[in-house]
Amino acid sequence: MTFKKSLVLTTALTAVGALAATSAIAAGKPKIKISGYQETFFAMNLDRVAGQTGTGTPTYANGGDGSLTILQYGEIRFKVKGKTDNGLKWGVRFESVAGNDAATNGKKVSSDEAHMWVQGSWGRLEIGGQDGAADRVRESTKNDITIDQRFAAVVADTRGRRLRGAEDYGSINDSSDDTKLTYWTPRVSGFRGAYSYVPSAGALGSVGTNSGSFHEGSVSYKTKVNGGKLRVALRGTIEDAAAPDGSDVEAWSVGASYAIKGFKVSTEYLDTGERRAGTAGDEGSAWDIGVSYSQGPWKVGIAYWDAQHEVSGASDDEYQQITIHGAYSLGGGLTISAGLISFDNDDSTAASATDGEVAVVKLLAKF
């Protein structure tokens, strides 16, 4: 039996045994909670030089120099929580999504994540369509920035010939919302571990994005240092037999953040591994760093992002981006944000190289 199969079997047996070992107490009536958000973006290409026609997903923007783009995205979340007679906590979560994509163009609402979970002193077990153990444990500028750094790729088509996948834009390959089994350990002395297993991309209940079984793992740590909050996260993923030569695609990252008196510094390094498409042996990596300051309803910050793609037998590609951002809370769940993104995609193929600036204004409503 392989190590991966042993890990999956051990996780399942441990969870089943823990379900029957909880002490008996009176059960309560399940409770339902509805929450969500809606965000609308107004973005303009101030200057975009060269570049190819927009490719990949999403395909609804990627305008030329001076073009105005209006995008929207929102989620409504339905959460149910309950408790069994023996004290075992359980829950169900559904998400309905309205967003700009090639299929709906923001005019329709569709289901997204749907999963069930059970929790006890032994940890938490999740079953269904939900982001995995690596995707949900991350310390980087992405957690702190008010304007998503990937937004430039949507509006201005920053993608080059190879720097096209999300993994090259500062995120390791993950299983997205594929139906999966995820186990979270209890947090002990600041540490918490997690493991996700996707048996196959064709599993019902979610949109399959992977060619075969998928594994995600993470270890996170949080503590207080000199009056501030320190967080560290180590993540890794394995997609079986997904590389061009039939080998596994492996990726990992390590990130940290430190927050004190309104200031927060975040950084992350990522080894994005070999691409699922392209030339065998191609490797990617990325890193980011950012600082922000919050005071009352205000928040401002700056972040730098650098991604590289080492190409077998050819010149390497590199992508650099600086984002200046700010936000103001109007109260009652409504926030307005603005940002200026400057990017430079130094693709080894001149026809695919792009550089320019994008201005973004975002209106966010949380409820």
Side-chain angles (χ1 to χ4, degrees):
M1 182 180 292
T2 65
F3 172 75
K4 293 181 202 173
K5 292 181 179 179
S6 299
L7 182 59
V8 173
L9 181 58
T10 302
T11 302
L13 291 175
T14 301
V16 171
L19 295 181
T22 312
S23 59
I25 60 174
K29 185 178 180 180
K31 298 180 180 180
I32 185 170
K33 180 181 179 180
I34 300 176
S35 63
Y37 69 92
Q38 174 72 16
E39 55 187 358
T40 301
F41 300 87
F42 302 88
M44 177 174 287
N45 290 337
L46 302 181
D47 179 34
R48 176 179 150 218
V49 180
Q52 59 186 29
T53 303
T55 58
T57 302
T59 59
Y60 48 81
N62 300 328
D65 183 16
S67 64
L68 175 65
T69 301
I70 301 177
L71 303 174
Q72 63 174 337
Y73 189 89
E75 292 183 355
I76 298 179
R77 301 162 181 158
F78 303 88
K79 301 178 182 179
V80 180
K81 290 185 179 180
K83 184 181 292 186
T84 66
D85 288 339
N86 65 353
L88 184 71
K89 297 179 181 179
W90 64 271
V92 177
R93 172 169 168 160
F94 299 92
E95 288 186 6
S96 295
V97 177
N100 289 91
D101 59 41
T104 68
N105 197 27
K107 298 178 181 179
K108 299 180 180 180
V109 176
S110 60
S111 61
D112 186 19
E113 299 175 356
H115 72 280
M116 176 181 289
W117 58 267
V118 290
Q119 182 175 325
S121 59
W122 44 267
R124 178 182 174 110
L125 181 67
E126 298 175 347
I127 307 170
Q130 168 67 303
D131 295 320
D135 192 25
R136 288 159 58 193
V137 176
R138 184 178 186 183
E139 294 299 328
S140 74
T141 59
K142 179 183 178 182
N143 298 346
D144 195 45
I145 199 167
T146 58
I147 298 293
D148 194 325
Q149 290 174 284
R150 292 175 295 180
F151 201 78
V154 176
V155 177
D157 182 23
T158 62
R159 300 171 177 86
R161 186 163 60 100
R162 298 182 184 89
L163 288 169
R164 187 169 298 165
E167 64 271 22
D168 294 313
Y169 277 85
S171 180
I172 62 176
N173 188 26
D174 62 67
S175 60
S176 187
D177 298 336
D178 288 352
T179 297
K180 59 175 63 69
L181 177 73
T182 300
Y183 170 68
W184 300 82
T185 71
R187 189 173 292 278
V188 179
S189 299
F191 288 92
R192 189 183 192 187
Y195 168 71
S196 293
Y197 174 65
V198 181
S200 70
L204 298 178
S206 64
V207 178
T209 58
N210 309 300
S211 59
S213 59
F214 201 101
H215 309 264
E216 293 189 31
S218 63
V219 177
S220 61
Y221 174 73
K222 63 179 183 180
T223 188
K224 292 184 178 180
V225 178
N226 296 328
K229 296 180 180 180
L230 173 66
R231 293 176 177 266
V232 181
L234 175 64
R235 312 179 298 143
T237 64
I238 300 175
E239 185 176 5
D240 293 338
D245 60 359
S247 62
D248 297 345
V249 173
E250 301 177 356
W252 62 273
S253 78
V254 58
S257 68
Y258 182 70
I260 185 171
K261 296 182 179 179
F263 288 95
K264 185 176 181 180
V265 179
S266 305
T267 186
E268 184 182 30
Y269 173 80
L270 311 96
D271 186 326
T272 57
E274 189 172 2
R275 290 177 57 88
R276 286 177 287 175
T279 304
D282 290 0
E283 296 285 342
S285 62
W287 65 276
D288 63 56
I289 188 169
V291 60
S292 68
Y293 178 72
S294 301
Q295 178 65 46
W298 288 96
K299 181 177 182 177
V300 295
I302 185 171
Y304 175 77
W305 194 4
D306 190 297
Q308 305 86 31
H309 190 76
E310 301 173 1
V311 185
S312 300
S315 300
D316 296 345
D317 300 335
E318 184 171 10
Y319 180 85
Q320 297 174 323
Q321 181 173 302
I322 296 177
T323 302
I324 301 173
H325 61 98
Y328 179 77
S329 174
L330 301 171
L334 194 63
T335 301
I336 186 169
S337 305
L340 178 64
I341 301 172
S342 178
F343 63 90
D344 183 4
N345 181 5
D346 186 14
D347 195 292
S348 58
T349 301
S352 297
T354 57
D355 62 87
E357 291 78 37
V358 173
V360 182
V361 175
K362 180 179 77 172
L363 193 62
L364 170 65
K366 287 186 175 181
F367 52 89

